[in-house]
Amino acid sequence: NAMVAARMSPVTLAVAALAAAACLRSVAFLAGGSAQSAALRACRVAAAADGNMGGDFWAHPWAEDLSKSPKADNIEFDDVVAHFNVLREKGGLDTLQPGSSPLVILEGIVLNSGLSGQPGMNKAQRIADGIQASSFLLSELTE
C-alpha cells in the first residue's frame, strides 16, 4: 500500500519492486495449481516486506563477534576488514587482499548499512547481519 511505500527507502523500494516483478513472472509460467498458490504466497510476502528485517542467514562466530564491537555505530570499513584479517591470521589464513571480490562486496555492505531498515540494530550489528546474509561473502571472509 502507499503508506508502506512511503516508509521504505529508495533502495528497499527498488528491491521490493524487482522481487514483485520476478514473482509475477514466475507465476505466469507456472502450470500447476498448488505450485501457483505457493508462488502467489511468496509474492505476497515479498510485496509486504518492509526492508530487510534480519531474515535468513548463516550465523558465524566471526560475524557474531563483529556485531558486538564496542565501536557500534562508529564502525568503519577498515575496522571490519581489520576484524576479519586478525581472525584469518589466527586461523592460518591469508589476509584479505585490497580490491578482491569479498572486499568490494563488504565495502558495499558497510556503506549501505544505514539503509538496511533494521530497527534497533547499531551499524556493527547491521553489517554483521548483512555479511551473514551472503553465504558467498561469509565463506570468502572465513575460509
Side-chain angles (χ1 to χ4, degrees):
N1 78 28
M3 294 298 285
V4 171
R7 291 190 325 239
M8 298 173 80
S9 74
V11 173
T12 304
L13 190 56
V15 170
L18 288 172
C23 284
L24 292 175
R25 259 196 312 271
S26 67
V27 170
F29 289 105
L30 291 173
S34 64
Q36 189 173 12
S37 295
L40 287 171
R41 278 192 302 277
C43 287
R44 277 187 237 122
V45 169
D50 188 17
N52 176 1
M53 301 305 287
D56 292 342
F57 63 91
W58 294 265
H60 192 281
W62 293 6
E64 294 295 309
D65 287 345
L66 178 70
S67 74
K68 299 172 188 162
S69 170
K71 293 191 176 192
D73 283 322
N74 297 317
I75 197 165
E76 298 296 333
F77 174 69
D78 290 337
D79 301 321
V80 177
V81 174
H83 169 81
F84 281 98
N85 276 339
V86 165
L87 294 169
R88 288 176 64 83
E89 287 177 336
K90 284 182 184 177
L93 301 171
D94 293 333
T95 58
L96 299 163
Q97 297 303 307
S100 63
S101 293
L103 288 188
V104 170
I105 296 167
L106 182 60
E107 186 173 24
I109 289 172
V110 173
L111 290 174
N112 291 298
S113 62
L115 304 173
S116 70
Q118 297 164 311
M121 293 179 119
N122 66 44
K123 185 176 178 182
Q125 292 168 327
R126 291 189 306 267
I127 292 167
D129 192 65
I131 290 168
Q132 293 176 120
S134 170
S135 58
F136 167 77
L137 180 59
L138 188 58
S139 70
E140 291 293 309
L141 293 175
T142 62
E143 295 177 4

